[in-house]
């Protein structure tokens, strides 16, 4: 019943409105004799008719408004001045003359649009915001090839470091706002889409996004209390505007290639290098080993066999929007498809959104916002440390090809290959993840009194993950194992609902304008994982289409089965006071209670305050044409983090799930820990300058934050039965500065704008464990990722600090080698490491601090040059001061592109039996290794394993700064040339706007790093032992795009 | 409109009031809180301890082989150039130490629950299992480090190290306690009196009480429940899924449906890609000593036709150890294993009791007779020379231990117990390495650093 009424309520007024606009012409005028009738159409710059625009005569209030098609008709005396205006557009004037038709184009008032900034649980006038918020309108950002809106933020917002850890389709960027302030608490910000906090990184249609706000200081983030520590990213999607219905469509398509390749040695170079390694070994160990070379060596490009030379990418999106005084709507659909570098990998994303708002009565509005996303990620085994197809392909012997004469695969060990055949790995496995996301928010805006607003809302957010992996029996790397999982399926789902009640009031008293907001929020989240696998099929049915073909019950194994849940209850309030646009005070407080903490310490309170002084609005402020605006801001406050705590940390649990001899079993879990919130206290001081009437704007901020009660898994004596216990023990701080400048250099027919920003952050760990000022970050890290102890947590140093041997060159003569090392087999051509303790030997004690994985400086640079419809946009990003560990080269292990003789496998060669064969090496080392005094001081000699003793793997591959490279870069991220077709031309084809463009994404990168990309990282959390490690994943590619945007 | 207004107010009110208690309603599904565990759950906790022990036994399974120069690990197996090269910061040393104590916590929690429960067959069985498993954990600690803190219950206090003598006493008292409680489950997958007696024999042997060792070993041998298998096929089936081997005194079932423990993946992998490098000569490494050609070699007049040879090795698959059949018969396996993922972890076999008895009785006619009883089962012949030097006697014992328990983690420990360090080539005079170093990471965590004195010979290194 209620539903019916609502629908009728929406439809009827819309229809009435439509009829009224068509039937009743503009009001008749009373003095026809002296007047003539002028008529025309008012449009925006894109040619869209503007509904409800005012056409006024002179300075009077006499006038008419435009209809749905933007048409007007007015009676005015010739020579009268007509003023055309509409909210959000700059007013234009025209003199009534002989021509009875006056068409008008109203340019967008960009300042007015920027006026409003979205803040947590509300919005505020930009000029009057007293906290530190970076605001980016997505239409103004050249997104290049990114289908991901957050990636497009890179370099546009100060204080926000965004890096693409890999080019794997569907991978997420690493986002750090204002430095690293936590170890366990994570450094990923909270994402809030249209007011609803997202559990994970959002998947959205780029074209749907109106704007993104990054909340940085405590005053802005404290309203999100317990999740504000790492900053908050607010994403606002587009809404319908009243006026004629408009259709926006965009398409783009492009091709991507590797921007900076890592070429491998060809057969000749490979043979030369390995021969040298064997010769060096024989000479040193007085042995007579020799290199086996197949009778007819081929020269095969293994990486080429599993990768795409050109990967396709394309996007399309269409939206329909519009509305009347009572009803607005926005409906859109989008599609993104991106192929990955590795064959078979791809990302497909389909999005739909519907957003309605209906004014039921002057005091009540009803809003609905619903979005559905479906994505499909086709994956390959590239991140796994066991199969790792890209590394495997690099290191395969170039003298073999993937197939034998009978068409079967070459197989590792048994038929000669040193690594699993990467072509087989790619061809014999299909692995994909389908993800569906449905988010819906229903809210009411209830405005019973002027200034008072009550908004209850309920939103639900469901995610369904369906993953399938299928292997065929030809997958030699897996199919021979019992329980190998010919088919693995996972069906995981999560659901979150949020119930908000927000009451706000806006009012004024004299020169004081104020607003107050108070609210309550209840959030509940649950995640269930259900996965199983099998390798047993009836009737040779595999590769099977489904688990339905599995016959024997005993052969079905659980894969991932899990349940997680938490709930959060919050109370919050904010007051904003503005005295005469000169003094602005903002106070907020939030209290959060979570199920992750014990009852007694469940609630945490997070207050914040900020003050802004609009100096240029003071009467005494000298009116001058140069400094036209000056605002000074100060803020302080507290935020928290609960990310570092398990869902059940507050409980002592007995876990089920294990069994013994067929009977179910209980094991004793970790006892409840008495934890509380990790809290950050943040300070910010900033100033906004406007020069020459905002022709040049400058924003500068300095900040300091200190995190206390930092959550950390504290190591405890093993005899307690535990190895670590979560505790609130550490503290860390961040000091930083941000500076952004935007200039309209040329403002005439040729327009030229320039924007630049720079951020500097210094992060430090202040304290962690009692009685110890450093912990080497250990764990079960694979040596493929550089070993397990390359990071250190040291007081006074950044959380991502590196800790390893310092490489100091190559011994050029045997006489230079100290005796203890000589005894271990070190000779001329081997590495020199810094001998910290001066004992002439190299051991664990010689490791030292070696820089960090997070940058000191980063930012962006953008410029736009336009003339008439033609525009050139160039956007650059840069990062300075971070080091990256190139583990793909082979750090502290026997594999890798720069092993120079230690990576071997004993393989079977037909007619020969077992022989030792060697992994391939990169072209760079094959041609650059040390081959006698003075030949190289950077790349050691090739020599087989066993020449050096006393080290886990080999002396030359010790984790050292030889692999730790300067990852500073300056990147020309996007270059776009666009052309907006002139209106006259468009009219003929019935299109209101058409812009065509050519873009090169990731055009150029200036860096010393010699891997694929200096932004690479295996892990996203800076405190993780594999952060800043380049494992050798798919590269971020260079993309050439052709696109067009239409308006109908 | 009034109705609508009413609706809004009602919804808002409902929302606000419904939420207040809901923070208490969120609970896990895979677990229950400690206060909800009752006496009825003791059986499940006992199973949990045996499950934990599977992990404990697995983690150090090959230590005695790798350090005893039986073979080296495959690639990715964490091989070091020299397996005896241990320092206080070596990671596998610390990981074994940690594993022992996390397992011990499960055992001590079970004992605490069982002691406070009212008497029942389940509680009795829990106590028997708990005391036995605690002794088994301390056996692992004692034979490696020769020192450990004695923990009768879970505690956060710093308990100083007790040296070997005290640890033997602790194990013996636990085992004596275990014998006082009846078992409620039968079969070698559960703790029975024979398993307790067998461990007792081993502890006595290590502690130097030869008479008691022989006495307890004899108890197991003469219990009538066990017999050594006499053919290669029957012996090889011992390590297969569904084993009914009469040799097994105690084994852990390993019937897991996930996190399966598979010994074969370490030495007998199925894809043929790994090479376990049981040392054998190749064209490039002609100097490598071939262990296989000598391990099960015939010794004229004394040992011929060792039935264990084909259980462990074959010429066709010489880069792998067949004792743990991988289930893939195309890979020259000796016996078929129907389910390699759920094959038992055999902890104590009766054959060990024969050897313990012989070793305990020593180089005496009784000792020789005891050894001959063992040899008869493996060769179908036995003639230990009447007079043997003590060295020749221990040589003989060590050779049999090696053949019998190859890939069962014995070698290094047997050499250590018999004091024949000359058998370890890589030791090269560094005898202190026969006691593992106390992990430096643990010493660093102590408030009183003196609580864990480092074993002799290790230099303390600090970054």
């Amino acid at each position: 019943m209620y539903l019916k009424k609502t629908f009728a309520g929406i439809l009827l007024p819309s229809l009435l409105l439509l009829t009224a606009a068509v039937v009743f012409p503009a009001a008749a005028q009373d003095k026809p004799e002296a007047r003539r009738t002028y008529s025309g159409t008012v449009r925006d710059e894109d040619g869209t008719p503007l509904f409800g625009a005012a056409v006024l005569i002179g300075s009077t209030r006499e006038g008419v408004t435009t209809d749905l098609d933007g048409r007007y008709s007015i009676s005015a005396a010739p020579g009268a001045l007509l003023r055309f205006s509409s909210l959000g557009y700059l007013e234009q004037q025209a003199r009534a003359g002989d021509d009875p038709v006056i068409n008008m184009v109203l340019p967008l008032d960009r300042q007015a649009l920027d006026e409003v900034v979205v803040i947590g649980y509300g919005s505020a006038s930009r000029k009057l915001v007293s906290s530190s918020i970076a605001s980016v309108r997505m239409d103004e950002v050249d997104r290049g090839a990114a289908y991901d809106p957050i990636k497009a933020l890179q370099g546009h917002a100060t204080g926000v470091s965004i890096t693409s850890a890999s080019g794997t389709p569907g991978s997420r960027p690493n986002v750090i706002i204002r430095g690293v302030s936590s170890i366990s608490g994570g450094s990923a910000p909270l994402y809030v889409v249209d007011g609803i906090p997202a559990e994970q990184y959002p998947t959205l249609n780029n074209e749907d996004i109106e704007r993104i706000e990054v909340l940085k200081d405590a005053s802005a983030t404290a309203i999100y209390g317990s999740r504000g520590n790492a900053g908050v990213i607010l994403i606002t999607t587009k809404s319908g505007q009243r006026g004629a219905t408009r259709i926006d469509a965009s398409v783009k398509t492009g091709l991507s290639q590797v921007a900076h390749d890592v070429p491998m040695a060809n057969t000749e170079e490979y043979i030369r290098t390995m021969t040298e390694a064997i010769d060096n070994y024989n000479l040193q160990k007085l042995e007579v080993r020799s290199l086996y070379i197949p009778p007819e060596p081929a020269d095969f490009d293994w990486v080429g066999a599993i990768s795409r030379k050109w990967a396709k990418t394309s996007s399309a999106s269409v939206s329909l929007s519009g509305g009347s005084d009572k009803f607005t709507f926005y409906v859109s659909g989008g599609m993104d498809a991106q192929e990955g570098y590795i064959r078979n990998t791809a990302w497909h994303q389909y999005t739909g959104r519907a957003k309605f708002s209906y004014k039921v009565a002057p005091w009540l509005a009803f809003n609905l916002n619903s979005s559905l996303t479906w994505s499909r990620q086709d994956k390959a085994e590239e991140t796994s440390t066991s199969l790792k197809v890209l590394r495997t392909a690099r290191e395969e012997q170039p003298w073999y090809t993937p197939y034998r004469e009978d068409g079967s695969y070459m197989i590792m060990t048994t038929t000669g290959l040193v690594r699993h055949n990467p072509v087989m790995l790619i061809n014999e496995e299909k692995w994909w993840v389908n993800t569906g996301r449905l988010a819906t928010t229903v809210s009411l805006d209830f405005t019973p009194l002027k200034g008072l607003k009550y908004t209850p809302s309920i939103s639900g957010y469901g995610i369904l993950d369906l993953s399938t992996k299928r292997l065929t029996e030809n997958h030699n790397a897996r199919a021979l194992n019992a329980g190998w999982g010919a088919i693995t399926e996972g069906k995981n789902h999560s659901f979150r609902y949020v119930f908000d009640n927000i009451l706000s009031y806006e009012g004024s008293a004299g020169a004081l304008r104020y607003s107050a907001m108070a609210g309550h929020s209840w959030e509940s989240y649950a995640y269930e994982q259900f996965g199983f696998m099998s390798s047993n099929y009836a009737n040779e049915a595999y590769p099977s289409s489904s688990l339905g073909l599995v016959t024997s019950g005993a052969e079905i194994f659980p894969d991932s089965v899990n349940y997680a849940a938490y709930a959060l209850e919050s109370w919050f309030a904010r007051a904003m006071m503005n005295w005469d646009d000169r003094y602005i005070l903002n106070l907020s407080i939030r209290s959060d209670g979570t199920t992750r903490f014990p009852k007694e310490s469940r609630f945490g309170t997070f207050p914040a305050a900020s003050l802004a002084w609009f100096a240029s609005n003071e009467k005494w402020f000298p009116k001058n044409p140069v400094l036209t605006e000056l605002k000074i801001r100060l803020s302080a406050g507290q935020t928290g983090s609960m990310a570092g705590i398990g869902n059940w940390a507050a409980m002592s649990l007995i876990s089920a799930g294990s069994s013994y001899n067929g009977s179910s079993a209980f094991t004793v879990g970790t006892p409840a820990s008495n934890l509380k919130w990790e809290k950050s206290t943040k300070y910010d001081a900033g100033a906004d300058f406007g020069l020459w009437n905002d022709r040049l704007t400058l924003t500068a901020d300095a900040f300091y934050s200190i995190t206390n009660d930092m959550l950390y898994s504290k190591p405890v004596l093993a005899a307690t039965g535990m190895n670590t216990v979560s505790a609130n023990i550490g503290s860390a701080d961040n000091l930083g500065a941000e500076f952004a400048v935007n200039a309209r250099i040329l403002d005439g027919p040729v327009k030229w704008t320039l924007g630049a920003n720079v951020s500097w952050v210094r992060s430090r760990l202040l304290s962690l464990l009692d009685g110890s000022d450093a912990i080497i970050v250990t764990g079960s890290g694979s040596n493929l990722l550089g070993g397990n102890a390359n990071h250190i947590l040291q007081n006074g140093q950044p959380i991502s600090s590196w800790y390893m041997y310092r490489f100091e060159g190559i011994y050029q003569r045997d006489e230079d080698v100290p005796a203890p090392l000589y005894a271990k087999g070190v000779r001329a051509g081997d590495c020199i490491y810094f001998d910290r303790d001066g004992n002439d030997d190299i051991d664990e004690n010689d490791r030292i601090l070696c820089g960090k994985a997070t940058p000191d400086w980063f930012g962006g640079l953008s410029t736009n040059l336009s003339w008439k419809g033609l525009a050139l946009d160039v956007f650059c990003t840069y990062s300075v001061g971070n080091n990256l560990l190139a583990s793909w080269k082979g750090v502290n292990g026997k594999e890798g592109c720069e092993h120079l003789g230690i990576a071997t496998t004993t393989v079977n060669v037909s007619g020969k039996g077992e022989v030792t064969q060697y992994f391939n090496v990169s072209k760079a080392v094959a041609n650059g290794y040390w081959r006698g005094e003075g030949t190289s001081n950077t790349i050691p000699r090739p020599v087989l394993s066993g020449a050096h003793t006393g080290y886990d793997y080999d002396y030359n591959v010790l984790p050292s700064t030889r692999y730790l490279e300067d990852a500073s870069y300056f990147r020309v991220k996007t270059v776009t040339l666009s052309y907006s077709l002139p209106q006259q031309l468009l009219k003929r084809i019935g299109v209101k706007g058409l812009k065509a463009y050519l873009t090169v994404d990731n055009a150029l990168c200036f860096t010393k790093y010699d891997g694929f990309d200096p932004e690479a990282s295996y892990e996203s959390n800076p405190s993780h032992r594999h952060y800043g490690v380049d494992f050798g994943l798919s590269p971020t590619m260079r993309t050439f795009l052709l696109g067009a945007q239409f308006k109908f | 409109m009034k109705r609508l207004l009413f609706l809004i107010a009602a919804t808002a009110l409902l929302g606000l009031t419904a939420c207040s208690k809901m923070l208490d309603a969120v609970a896990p599904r895979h677990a229950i809180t400690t206060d909800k565990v009752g006496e009825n759950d003791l059986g499940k906790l006992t199973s949990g301890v045996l499950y934990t022990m599977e992990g404990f036994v697995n983690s150090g399974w090959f230590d005695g082989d790798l350090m005893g120069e039986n073979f080296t690990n495959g690639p990715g197996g964490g091989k070091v150039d020299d397996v005896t090269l241990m320092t206080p910061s070596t990671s596998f040393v610390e990981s074994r130490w940690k594993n022992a104590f996390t397992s011990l916590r499960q055992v001590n929690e079970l004992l605490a629950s069982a002691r406070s429960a009212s008497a029942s067959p389940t509680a009795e069985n829990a106590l028997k299992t708990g005391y036995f498993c605690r002794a088994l954990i301390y056996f692992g600690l004692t034979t490696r480090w020769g020192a450990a803190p004695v923990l009768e219950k879970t505690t956060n206090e710093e308990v100083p190290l007790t040296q070997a003598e005290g640890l033997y006493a602790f194990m013996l008292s636990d085992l004596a306690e275990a014998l006082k409680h009846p078992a409620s489950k039968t079969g070698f997958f559960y703790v029975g009196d024979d398993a307790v007696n067998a461990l007792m024999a081993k502890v006595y042997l290590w502690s130097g009480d030869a008479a008691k060792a022989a006495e307890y070993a004899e108890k197991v041998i003469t219990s009538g429940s066990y017999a050594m298998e006499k053919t290669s096929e029957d012996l090889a089936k011992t390590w297969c899924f569904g084993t009914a081997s009469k040799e097994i005194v105690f084994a852990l079932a390993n019937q897991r449906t996930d996190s399966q423990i598979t010994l074969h993946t370490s030495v007998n992998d199925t894809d043929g890609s790994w090479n376990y490098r049981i040392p054998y000569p190749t064209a490039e490494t002609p100097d490598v000593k071939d262990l296989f050609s000598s391990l099960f070699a015939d010794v004229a007049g004394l040992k011929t036709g060792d039935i264990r040879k084909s259980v462990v090795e074959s010429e066709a698959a010489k880069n792998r150890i067949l004792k743990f059949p991988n289930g893939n018969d195309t890979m020259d396996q000796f016996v078929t294993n129907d389910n390699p993922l759920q094959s038992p972890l055999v902890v104590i076999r009766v054959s060990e009791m024969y050897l313990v008895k012989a070793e305990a009785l020593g180089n005496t006619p009784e000792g020789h007779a005891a050894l001959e009883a063992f040899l008869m089962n493996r060769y179908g012949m036995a003639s230990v020379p009447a007079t043997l030097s003590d060295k020749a006697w221990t040589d003989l014992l060590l050779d049999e231990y090696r053949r019998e328990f190859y890939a069962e983690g014995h070698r290094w420990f047997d050499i250590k117990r018999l004091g024949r360090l000359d058998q370890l080539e890589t030791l090269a005079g560094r005898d202190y390495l026969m006691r593992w170093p106390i992990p430096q990471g643990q010493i660093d965590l102590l408030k009183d650093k003196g609580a864990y004195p480092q074993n002799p010979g290790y230099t303390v290194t600090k970054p």
Side-chain angles (χ1 to χ4, degrees), chain A residues 197-316:
Chain A
E199 184 64 29
Q200 43 172 256
Y201 192 89
T203 302
L204 297 162
N205 178 357
N206 243 329
E207 302 291 334
D208 276 353
I209 295 170
E210 170 91 27
R211 57 193 303 138
I212 297 180
E213 258 85 19
V214 184
L215 311 186
K216 295 186 288 192
D217 69 350
S219 167
T221 55
I223 203 70
Y224 287 102
S226 62
R227 289 172 297 180
N229 254 11
V232 180
I233 292 186
L234 302 181
I235 299 167
T236 309
T237 60
K238 289 175 183 164
S239 299
Q241 303 295 329
R242 73 194 171 102
T245 301
R246 54 185 283 174
I247 299 172
D248 288 86
S250 68
V251 286
K252 69 181 176 199
T253 182
L255 291 170
S256 309
Q257 57 161 188
V258 174
H260 179 260
D261 204 2
V262 177
M264 298 304 295
N266 61 27
T267 299
E268 186 210 325
E269 292 161 328
Y270 167 68
I271 291 175
R272 177 168 41 72
T273 309
M274 293 311 138
T275 307
E276 173 101 12
I278 291 168
D279 289 349
N280 283 340
Y281 180 84
N282 286 341
L283 197 67
Q284 183 169 342
K285 305 284 280 189
L286 304 177
E287 289 185 18
V288 283
R289 299 196 187 181
S290 59
L291 181 69
Y292 167 82
I293 301 174
E296 291 168 15
D299 203 342
F300 189 73
D301 175 11
W302 283 94
V303 175
I306 60 146
S307 61
R308 292 185 172 110
K309 193 161 171 53
W310 290 100
K312 291 194 280 291
T313 176
S314 56
S315 292

Side-chain angles (χ1 to χ4, degrees), chain A residues 134-145:
Chain A
S135 187
V136 177
R137 293 184 56 81
M138 288 312 275
D139 286 345
E140 292 166 8
V141 167
D142 188 344
R143 292 177 296 243

Side-chain angles (χ1 to χ4, degrees), chain A residues 27-37 57 62 74-78:
Chain A
Q29 304 301 315
D30 49 6
K31 283 183 211 160
E33 67 283 356
R35 297 185 169 205
R36 290 179 56 184
T37 300
I57 301 169
E62 186 189 342
I74 192 169
S75 174

